[in-house]
Amino acid sequence: MCNRLPSKYYISFVVIFIFFTNKIYSNVSLDKTPVITESKNKNLVGTNNSQISILTVPDCTKLSIPLAGNTNVTLGIDLSWHPVSTATGYRLTVGTISGGYDILNDFNVGFSSSYNLPEYLPKNSTIYVKIIPYNLNGDAISCTEESFKTKESVIIPECTNLRFPLDGATNVPVDTNLSWNPVFNITGYIITLETFTTGTEVLNRIDVGNTNTYIIPADLPENTIIYVIITPYNLDGEGLDCIEETFTTGEEGIHIPPKFFTPNNDSINDYWIVPNPINNVADVFIYDRYGKLLKHIVNLPKGWDGTINGSAMPANDYWYHIIYKNNKELKGHFSLVR
């Protein structure tokens, strides 16, 4: 037969049990169910050095460029927004109607807080943008759509033309570089070089920025027609229907001499000098417009100073005949400017 506990001990046990039960439940919130995870931290004290943390999704963000509600926004605008410290990336939707995605549909731009739209925006249009930050715990919740309006009238740049080599030039050195006439109100230029009108074997729409020259990274093919399109652009758009220009390359080692020189003793272009970087020039002859031989240049590095027998020759066009050591020849003309 079991012995019963004295009633006073039984009552004390019940009181203690109720006290500790209330103590435990008082630290538990019954109206929230937190999502928890266990992470390791060698600086924490406890079983297995574990820490209980609450998982959170990132906050929403807002446009910084352009600001929501802006008007007269340029068509080539790049979108930027305020970074969110807890975000690991952003998804971007852009459309021309509220809730639309005809420009960009839930595109993941990664961790960057800016994005260069691949096409110009339509003019005189309201553009709707939604940016959703995300991290490993999920997407930001209830992010609002923002909007801005693009310009009603736009000013796109005029087209340009080659300055060197000139359109239609022949015997152009294979190691030539390009230059063109500058255009007002531009952000930069896009260059395409091809060896036939249906392909882009050399350069395909390379953005060279706001410069009027371009160093072609490799020699062009010999004896080949090169097709060039230079398209100026600004934030409103690209030049329309810019024409294709051409020039024809010569053979490797043959370089076109200067088109002009100015022998006025200012130490700038005072001599007409035939390029001879690989020492393959044998002879250089200069003629007047009637074909009369005026000068046989013996000192190739010095060139011609614009005089014949000590007398200054008048400003005019002169013709040259260059003979190379492999017996190839190059003929053309240049200008003496005073």
Side-chain angles (χ1 to χ4, degrees):
M1 180 178 293
C2 297
N3 296 324
R4 290 179 177 276
L5 288 172
S7 59
K8 66 177 183 179
Y9 292 110
Y10 178 78
I11 293 170
S12 298
F13 174 79
V14 171
V15 171
I16 293 171
F17 176 80
I18 292 172
F19 174 81
F20 280 103
T21 299
N22 289 336
K23 186 70 174 176
I24 291 171
Y25 278 94
S26 67
N27 291 324
V28 177
S29 173
L30 299 180
D31 60 348
K32 293 183 179 180
T33 305
V35 183
I36 61 174
T37 185
E38 186 176 55
S39 60
K40 304 297 182 181
N41 189 327
K42 66 181 180 179
N43 295 320
L44 296 177
V45 177
T47 304
N48 296 325
N49 291 332
S50 299
Q51 177 190 20
I52 302 300
S53 62
I54 303 298
L55 294 181
T56 58
V57 298
D59 294 329
C60 292
T61 184
K62 291 184 178 296
L63 281 169
S64 57
I65 300 176
L67 292 173
N70 275 178
T71 59
N72 205 37
V73 174
T74 53
L75 308 187
I77 192 73
D78 294 338
L79 302 181
S80 298
W81 51 90
H82 299 288
V84 178
S85 60
T86 56
T88 57
Y90 304 88
R91 296 204 313 275
L92 185 61
T93 297
V94 184
T96 54
I97 61 173
S98 180
Y101 48 84
D102 50 309
I103 296 176
L104 210 60
N105 184 13
D106 199 34
F107 183 76
N108 189 342
V109 301
F111 186 66
S112 175
S113 58
S114 64
Y115 182 69
N116 183 8
L117 293 168
E119 301 289 342
Y120 289 95
L121 295 171
K123 69 177 182 178
N124 194 27
S125 300
T126 300
I127 307 299
Y128 297 86
V129 180
K130 191 169 186 178
I131 307 164
I132 301 178
Y134 66 84
N135 61 20
L136 294 177
N137 304 318
D139 294 345
I141 299 171
S142 301
C143 295
T144 59
E145 185 180 68
E146 299 177 282
S147 66
F148 58 88
K149 190 170 183 179
T150 56
K151 297 173 68 172
E152 181 174 356
S153 61
V154 297
I155 302 176
I156 60 176
E158 300 290 334
C159 294
T160 184
N161 298 98
L162 279 171
R163 186 164 57 188
F164 185 83
L166 290 173
D167 183 29
T170 57
N171 287 316
V172 174
V174 296
D175 60 350
T176 192
N177 297 316
L178 301 181
S179 64
W180 53 91
N181 296 311
V183 176
F184 173 72
N185 190 33
I186 63 100
T187 302
Y189 300 87
I190 296 172
I191 296 180
T192 295
L193 262 70
E194 55 192 13
T195 56
F196 48 92
T197 57
T198 58
T200 53
E201 294 183 350
V202 184
L203 297 172
N204 185 12
R205 286 184 59 83
I206 299 297
D207 188 339
V208 300
N210 191 358
T211 179
N212 301 126
T213 60
Y214 180 70
I215 298 175
I216 301 174
D219 286 354
L220 296 170
E222 295 183 358
N223 300 315
T224 302
I225 298 176
I226 305 298
Y227 300 84
V228 185
I229 301 176
I230 303 173
T231 306
Y233 69 89
N234 59 22
L235 292 178
D236 284 339
E238 298 181 5
L240 297 177
D241 301 324
C242 294
I243 64 171
E244 186 176 68
E245 300 178 274
T246 65
F247 61 86
T248 304
T249 57
E251 298 186 23
E252 186 175 5
I254 296 179
H255 296 78
I256 304 298
K259 291 293 184 181
F260 69 94
F261 76 120
T262 56
N264 52 12
N265 297 318
D266 64 353
S267 300
I268 301 174
N269 295 326
D270 281 336
Y271 294 88
W272 185 80
I273 301 174
V274 173
N276 190 25
I278 59 175
N279 194 31
N280 64 336
V281 176
D283 289 292
V284 178
F285 301 94
I286 298 175
Y287 301 84
D288 65 15
R289 60 187 304 176
Y290 303 105
K292 178 183 177 181
L293 178 63
L294 300 177
K295 182 75 174 180
H296 176 203
I297 299 179
V298 177
N299 189 344
L300 293 177
K302 182 178 180 181
W304 183 41
D305 63 358
T307 66
I308 300 295
N309 297 324
S311 299
M313 297 300 292
N316 210 333
D317 286 344
Y318 295 86
W319 272 250
Y320 60 82
H321 180 194
I322 303 172
I323 301 175
Y324 294 88
K325 294 178 180 178
N326 59 4
N327 293 323
K328 292 181 178 179
E329 299 181 2
L330 181 65
K331 297 179 180 180
H333 63 89
F334 63 98
S335 298
L336 188 161
V337 181
R338 294 193 183 276

